[in-house]
Amino acid sequence: LMSLAHACSELDVVTSLSWLSLEEKYIRPRFSPNRQLILKCSRHPVVEQTVKKNFIANDVELTDGACLLLTGPNMAGKSTLMRQTALIAILAQAGSFVPADQASLPIFDAIFTRIGASDQLSEGLSTFMVEMTETAAMLKMSQSQSLLILDEVGRGTSTYDGMCLAQS
């Protein structure tokens, strides 16, 4: 009975991803040996499902060892683009088609994200210190084949301090 339940759950996942791919015009990603991440007209798979208007597709290109620094006003879509890139990488590596017109990705050994604000004041850690601690742990654990997504690291710092953090 457990074997049957396991087989049915796998079949459910595969058919759900297949139907989603057909209905939303997902494409089969290619895996690039040259460690480049190229997404053409990529879309956020969750936001696209909940927003009634058409989602505006985005291009993302990262070469091996590159860093993409996004700046802009509040509500400009920076966080959405970062999360979208991570979700597409996860979907591709799980064997799913992805929401894009073209997708070429490396195989990542891990995906690390630092998203959102929190503090641990009871432990004497400010939001900034939590961000720095988590970022340091990510950098220590990551490899050259890892994808790191850092959203709003160093909030509350001056412009000069924020630029120093971004450069480092």
Side-chain angles (χ1 to χ4, degrees), residues 78-92:
K78 302 176 298 293
S79 297
T80 301
L81 180 65
M82 286 187 274
R83 289 177 172 103
Q84 161 183 320
T85 302
L87 284 170
I88 288 173
I90 291 167
L91 283 170

Side-chain angles (χ1 to χ4, degrees), residues 118-130:
S118 68
D119 60 42
Q120 297 172 3
L121 293 177
S122 62
E123 298 173 29
L125 299 175
S126 66
T127 303
F128 178 78
M129 186 54 74
V130 171

Side-chain angles (χ1 to χ4, degrees), residues 30-38 60-67 89 93 104-111 142-148:
R30 292 181 315 124
F31 289 100
S32 167
N34 61 3
R35 309 281 317 145
Q36 286 187 332
L37 182 143
I38 300 171
V60 177
E61 290 193 34
L62 282 171
T63 57
D64 188 19
C67 174
Q93 293 198 174
S104 177
L105 303 101
I107 295 176
F108 296 110
D109 66 345
I111 298 173
S142 65
Q143 306 286 324
S144 62
Q145 298 85 17
S146 301
L147 175 64
L148 282 79

Side-chain angles (χ1 to χ4, degrees), residues 39-44 48 54-60 81 84 99-101:
L39 303 173
K40 299 290 183 186
C41 294
S42 64
R43 307 177 314 271
H44 192 296
E48 183 178 53
N54 290 339
F55 185 85
I56 297 174
N58 301 282
D59 293 351
V60 177
L81 180 65
Q84 161 183 320
D101 286 353

